[in-house]
Amino acid sequence: VDVAPFLRRIQEGDEQAFEALIEQYSGKALRTAYLITGRKGIAEDAVQEAFVQCYRKIKGLRDPAAFEAWFYRLLTRICWRLTTREKKTVSLDSLTEGGQEHALCDDRMEDALEARETKRLVQQALGKLSIPLRTTVVLRYYNDLPLKEIARVLGCREGTVKSRLHTALKQLTDELKLIAPELFRG
Amino acid sequence: MRREQITLKRRVCQEKLEEWLRTAMAREAERIEAGPDLVRRIKVRLLAHQGKGRTMFIGWRKAAVATICGALLVSGLVFGLSPGARAWANKAVISPVLSIVHTVIRADGSYAVTKLQTTAKVQTHVGFPVHLPTYLPEGYRLISITTARQEKSGQGFVSVVYGVPGGARKRLQLTITNECGSLRNGGGMQEVEVRGKTAYWARYSIMEVGGAGEEPAARVAHMLKWGDKGLVYKLEDGSGTLSLEEMLKIAESIN
């Protein structure tokens, strides 16, 4: 999403432009937060707070191209803070959001079973990663951010991002080989 | 050859894992939708932030700054323009009395010591009216008040010490007593007048013993003594720096 036209209007105090930005970004932000935190409730709180902080601080943002990294930086920081506050180990095992269960009922049984299996694997595999590793994985493979952008979001060096990805993939491989060896056959 | 095969296998394995992660996370995340409720809640929080949070925050800050500025302005005007207020501030805020102690000596010789909280209570305890000087030389302030009264005879005294902070030798002591016999010319005293009544002024030497190995030193002190309405007043300048005129001015300000 090109935020350049939004950004100028928002910085001039146009509230409708900010509402449009929320509409555009809230879905992706919520899903990112969910994958990082592992709980929909925490993810919703994080997204709300991220947009409030975004509204307060956006006047200081000069480069529209930097918006995405800047916003995800806000969001990931909030996710980490809320997760730590909740003192959850961010195990996705406990995920039993009502909405998701109902969504499964509407699918065909085969798809439902496959979806349930994917969900289980994602929960178990990602759940074993530490929050920084999990965040790096989510930003790379879900948000498709380049390494340089992830480094900006996380406020670290590109080398650190590479190292985290390497570690995360190794841990995921080890975990998935145990719980889903069929993924590595052939 | 074998190493290359292993590397290739690992790369394939990693690519497969990355692909699986992309697909699996996308599938997992697509179940989560930002419903209208989330967007509405964000808007509510923003409205609260705009309407209440921000304006209240700015309002609170403005109010605090305005209050501080107002208080500084008013206190500056009051204490800058009014000598009375300056004197009060000096007495009550800047230089509070360090201690007020009253001792009652009972008929059997035993005594009781009471710490008083205000100078106003002094005369209640000592049994006669106590008036203190309204004029003090520059830099002097009230340090302590000690009072004592004999329960049997009703005789007593009030001893008020003034000093200059940082000026160790500058001590001025005013003693007021209802023991009338204590007013007499000890010889060598100069007769002067305080409030139209005879008073005595004297200049005398005090031998001061220093620490071990130090020679005793003599220093000059001044004393002014007078009587008024059945009370005897004695004003002693331990530093000997105050002139007779200055001491008379202090004495005249007691009413």
Side-chain angles (χ1 to χ4, degrees):
Chain A
V1 182
D2 183 17
V3 291
F6 286 121
L7 195 63
R8 184 167 293 173
R9 282 169 54 200
I10 293 166
Q11 288 175 335
E12 285 168 358
D14 186 341
E15 288 173 10
Q16 283 187 336
F18 193 73
E19 282 181 17
L21 186 82
I22 296 173
E23 303 276 358
Q24 291 276 1
Y25 266 85
S26 57
K28 184 90 174 176
L30 180 67
R31 288 188 281 272
T32 304
Y34 165 71
L35 288 171
I36 294 171
T37 62
R39 295 179 73 90
K40 196 181 173 193
I42 298 177
E44 284 184 345
D45 286 347
V47 170
Q48 285 179 47
E49 197 174 328
F51 275 109
V52 172
Q53 283 196 21
C54 172
Y55 185 80
R56 285 169 58 193
K57 296 176 179 173
I58 203 165
K59 284 190 177 172
L61 185 68
R62 294 281 163 260
D63 180 14
F67 174 79
E68 195 155 292
W70 178 80
F71 179 76
Y72 279 117
R73 190 183 171 92
L74 287 179
L75 184 66
T76 51
R77 289 283 180 278
I78 296 164
C79 284
W80 290 13
R81 181 161 50 78
L82 293 183
T83 307
T84 313
R85 191 194 290 170
E86 287 284 312
K87 290 184 179 170
K88 303 286 180 191
T89 51
V90 201
S91 163
L92 296 175
D93 298 339
S94 58
L95 195 80
T96 50
E97 306 288 347
Q100 293 163 56
E101 297 301 320
H102 292 307
L104 286 178
C105 298
D106 297 335
D107 295 334
R108 285 186 303 128
M109 187 59 78
E110 198 178 323
D111 286 350
L113 286 172
E114 195 186 331
R116 196 182 283 275
E117 180 59 13
T118 306
K119 179 179 171 178
R120 185 183 70 84
L121 293 178
V122 172
Q123 284 174 5
Q124 271 190 271
L126 285 185
K128 296 282 172 164
L129 299 179
S130 67
I131 301 177
L133 291 187
R134 186 205 306 255
T135 307
T136 313
V137 167
V138 170
L139 292 175
R140 180 77 183 110
Y141 299 113
Y142 177 68
N143 295 75
D144 271 327
L145 294 184
L147 298 180
K148 199 175 171 183
E149 199 79 341
I150 297 173
R152 273 194 208 164
V153 172
L154 299 178
C156 62
R157 292 180 183 178
E158 216 174 306
T160 311
V161 176
K162 279 183 190 168
S163 160
R164 281 184 185 172
L165 277 177
H166 177 78
T167 312
L169 289 179
K170 192 173 180 312
Q171 285 185 19
L172 284 171
T173 307
D174 292 345
E175 183 63 25
L176 287 168
K177 272 182 180 171
L178 284 175
I179 59 171
E182 68 276 6
L183 285 174
F184 298 90
R185 276 184 205 137
Chain B
M1 187 66 182
R2 177 149 177 81
R3 187 178 292 172
E4 280 174 5
Q5 276 181 335
I6 292 168
T7 313
L8 186 67
K9 200 177 172 186
R10 272 187 190 160
R11 191 175 294 163
V12 170
C13 187
Q14 186 179 324
E15 281 173 5
K16 211 172 168 184
L17 176 65
E18 287 178 330
E19 193 49 44
W20 179 83
L21 271 173
R22 282 196 176 91
T23 315
M25 282 200 287
R27 284 196 75 164
E28 175 64 12
E30 73 184 8
R31 302 173 186 288
I32 307 295
E33 278 299 324
D37 192 43
L38 175 70
V39 178
R40 186 187 56 77
R41 273 186 280 162
I42 294 170
K43 286 178 186 171
V44 168
R45 279 186 67 166
L46 278 171
L47 281 174
H49 168 73
Q50 288 170 298
K52 193 171 68 179
R54 191 172 54 175
T55 52
M56 271 185 73
F57 181 60
I58 292 171
W60 175 83
R61 276 199 309 195
K62 277 183 180 172
V65 170
T67 308
I68 292 166
C69 288
L72 286 173
L73 186 68
V74 170
S75 58
L77 283 171
V78 169
F79 294 117
L81 300 177
S82 161
R86 266 208 308 275
W88 172 83
N90 189 47
K91 198 192 281 183
V93 181
I94 301 166
S95 310
V97 182
L98 293 183
S99 74
I100 308 171
V101 177
H102 174 69
T103 307
V104 176
I105 302 155
R106 299 197 187 96
D108 61 1
S110 65
Y111 60 90
V113 178
T114 315
K115 275 195 124 179
L116 307 180
Q117 297 303 314
T118 61
T119 52
K121 289 192 174 174
V122 169
Q123 62 186 29
T124 314
H125 283 75
V126 83
F128 55 80
V130 176
H131 300 289
L132 301 179
T134 53
Y135 168 78
L136 287 173
E138 198 178 336
Y140 280 83
R141 69 176 185 86
L142 187 55
I143 302 285
S144 66
I145 302 177
T146 309
T147 72
R149 183 169 60 87
Q150 277 196 326
E151 213 171 46
K152 193 177 173 184
S153 64
Q155 290 184 332
F157 72 87
V158 177
S159 172
V160 188
V161 176
Y162 301 93
V164 177
R169 298 211 182 279
K170 290 198 170 182
R171 282 285 182 274
L172 187 64
Q173 185 171 351
L174 172 68
T175 310
I176 310 168
T177 176
N178 57 357
E179 291 179 57
C180 292
S182 62
L183 179 64
R184 56 180 181 269
N185 189 340
M189 287 180 157
Q190 182 184 334
E191 277 195 18
V192 289
E193 273 192 4
V194 172
R195 302 173 73 85
K197 295 200 169 74
T198 304
Y200 303 99
W201 184 77
R203 180 189 169 92
Y204 58 98
S205 293
I206 298 171
M207 288 302 286
E208 207 169 52
V209 181
E214 286 181 25
E215 288 290 316
R219 65 182 171 86
V220 174
H222 295 152
M223 183 185 69
L224 181 66
K225 211 171 181 183
W226 73 100
D228 191 15
K229 294 174 186 167
L231 298 174
V232 176
Y233 292 81
K234 186 168 77 173
L235 189 62
E236 290 171 285
D237 165 29
S239 66
T241 54
L242 296 179
S243 64
L244 171 62
E245 287 71 28
E246 195 78 8
M247 290 183 75
L248 284 172
K249 201 172 170 185
I250 299 166
E252 293 284 355
S253 74
I254 299 171
N255 55 36

